């Protein structure tokens, strides 16, 4: 089973959805046969680099609400995050453009470190208050995941490197008409939109497995065992 997840590193529901999927997989008996791949999606490709504005101010401007209303909205999201063990620190968050963070994730994928780097990016932004648009910060996070710091900086400093991979993910998202994230696509056939409840993920995993898992060619109606030849052995077992 393959699960593709379109998400952004400054999307609060993406981190919540990621955790709920992980919790569902922990309880799924066939989790070892599930591959999860994260896809790039920028909530706002025109978003500036961190300029000192708080997430409350950014939200208030975007949705034309007061700062107090924005704080209340963030608090509500924070309460949802807490249900899956995430402690969002909204006052410390540094809103920024995520294109370079996505490029880093694509580089990490070539080194087998995509899962580790994606988790560290989300944690850095939502919990640790780090600027994930800053090259040094990104290089530090990558290094803690086992990547070479200087190699990461070289990748980041050339804006064309892994840009096509990010744009390719976003192009597929447009084809799928994905308007919001997180968005989960299972086996290129089933979809889950948003950070749905844990039970939704558990039910989806079971449903897809039952419908998509390989079935035996025949229904076996045999009533006795050890009455056939197998692997060159045609011995009749002795009766006790």
């Amino acid at each position: 089973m393959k699960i593709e997840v379109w998400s952004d590193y400054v999307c609060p529901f993406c981190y919540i959805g990621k955790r709920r999927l992980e919790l569902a997989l922990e309880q799924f008996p066939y989790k070892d046969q599930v591959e999860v791949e994260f896809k790039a999606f920028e909530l706002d490709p025109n978003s500036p680099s961190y300029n000192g504005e708080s997430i409350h101010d950014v939200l208030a401007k975007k949705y034309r609400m007061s700062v107090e209303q924005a704080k209340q909205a963030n608090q509500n999201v924070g309460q949802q995050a807490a249900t899956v063990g995430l402690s969002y620190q909204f006052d410390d968050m540094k809103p920024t453009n995520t294109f370079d963070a996505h490029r880093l994730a694509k580089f990490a994928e070539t080194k087998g470190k995509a899962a580790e780097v994606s988790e560290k990016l989300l944690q850095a932004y939502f919990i640790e208050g780090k600027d994930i648009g800053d090259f040094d910060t990104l290089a530090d996070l990558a290094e803690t995941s086992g990547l070479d710091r200087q190699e990461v900086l070289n990748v980041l400093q050339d804006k064309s490197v892994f840009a096509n991979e990010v744009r390719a993910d976003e192009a597929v998202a447009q084809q799928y008409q994905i308007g919001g994230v997180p968005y989960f696509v299972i086996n290129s056939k089933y979809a889950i939109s948003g950070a749905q409840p844990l039970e939704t993920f558990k039910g989806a995993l079971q449903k897809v497995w039952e419908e998509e898992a390989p079935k035996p060619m025949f229904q076996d109606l045999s009533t006795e065992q050890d009455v056939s030849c197998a692997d060159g052995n045609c011995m009749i077992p002795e009766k006790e």
Side-chain angles (χ1 to χ4, degrees), residues 114-187:
E116 293 92 332
V117 168
S118 291
E119 175 64 25
K120 287 182 182 296
L121 285 166
L122 290 163
Q123 181 175 328
Y125 179 77
F126 285 105
I127 298 172
E128 299 172 353
K130 294 181 179 179
D131 179 3
I132 61 170
D134 176 73
F135 285 0
D136 284 327
T137 299
L138 292 175
D140 289 343
L141 293 173
E143 188 174 30
T144 62
S145 299
L147 298 177
D148 182 86
R149 191 176 195 280
Q150 188 56 53
E151 188 176 6
V152 169
L153 285 172
N154 292 342
V155 167
L156 294 172
Q157 286 163 2
D158 185 344
K159 289 283 189 176
S160 66
V161 179
F162 291 101
N164 289 339
E165 288 80 355
V166 173
R167 296 306 182 210
D169 282 357
E170 294 175 336
V172 174
Q174 288 186 333
Q175 292 174 7
Y176 287 172
Q177 299 182 337
I178 298 174
V181 287
Y183 196 89
F184 307 81
V185 175
I186 309 175
N187 286 356

Side-chain angles (χ1 to χ4, degrees), residues 9-144:
Y9 296 113
V10 294
C11 162
F13 289 105
C14 290
Y15 205 3
I16 296 170
K18 179 176 184 290
R19 275 292 182 273
R20 287 177 177 163
L21 173 61
E22 291 167 346
L23 290 170
L25 285 171
E26 285 178 8
Q27 302 175 47
F28 187 55
Y30 310 104
K31 62 182 178 182
D32 293 340
Q33 299 182 54
V34 179
E35 175 190 358
V36 179
E37 181 179 335
F38 284 87
K39 300 288 189 178
F41 188 102
E42 295 172 272
L43 284 173
D44 183 3
N46 299 314
S47 177
S49 299
Y50 176 61
N51 57 17
E53 277 193 300
S54 73
I55 187 62
H56 306 303
D57 292 331
V58 171
L59 193 67
K61 289 180 180 179
K62 182 176 182 179
Y63 294 105
R64 298 180 180 179
M65 61 175 65
S66 70
V67 173
E68 286 306 314
Q69 288 175 316
K71 287 183 177 180
Q72 182 60 54
N74 284 330
Q75 183 179 349
N76 293 340
V77 175
Q79 290 172 351
Q80 288 198 44
T83 64
V84 289
L86 299 173
S87 180
Y88 283 2
Q89 302 299 314
F90 286 100
D91 291 342
D92 298 328
M93 291 178 193
K94 296 175 174 57
T96 190
N97 188 285
T98 58
F99 181 64
D100 293 319
H102 284 295
R103 288 199 301 121
L104 169 60
K106 289 300 178 185
F107 169 70
E109 188 175 342
T110 67
K111 304 292 185 179
K113 295 289 185 179
E116 293 92 332
V117 168
S118 291
E119 175 64 25
K120 287 182 182 296
L121 285 166
L122 290 163
Q123 181 175 328
Y125 179 77
F126 285 105
I127 298 172
E128 299 172 353
K130 294 181 179 179
D131 179 3
I132 61 170
D134 176 73
F135 285 0
D136 284 327
T137 299
L138 292 175
D140 289 343
L141 293 173
E143 188 174 30
T144 62

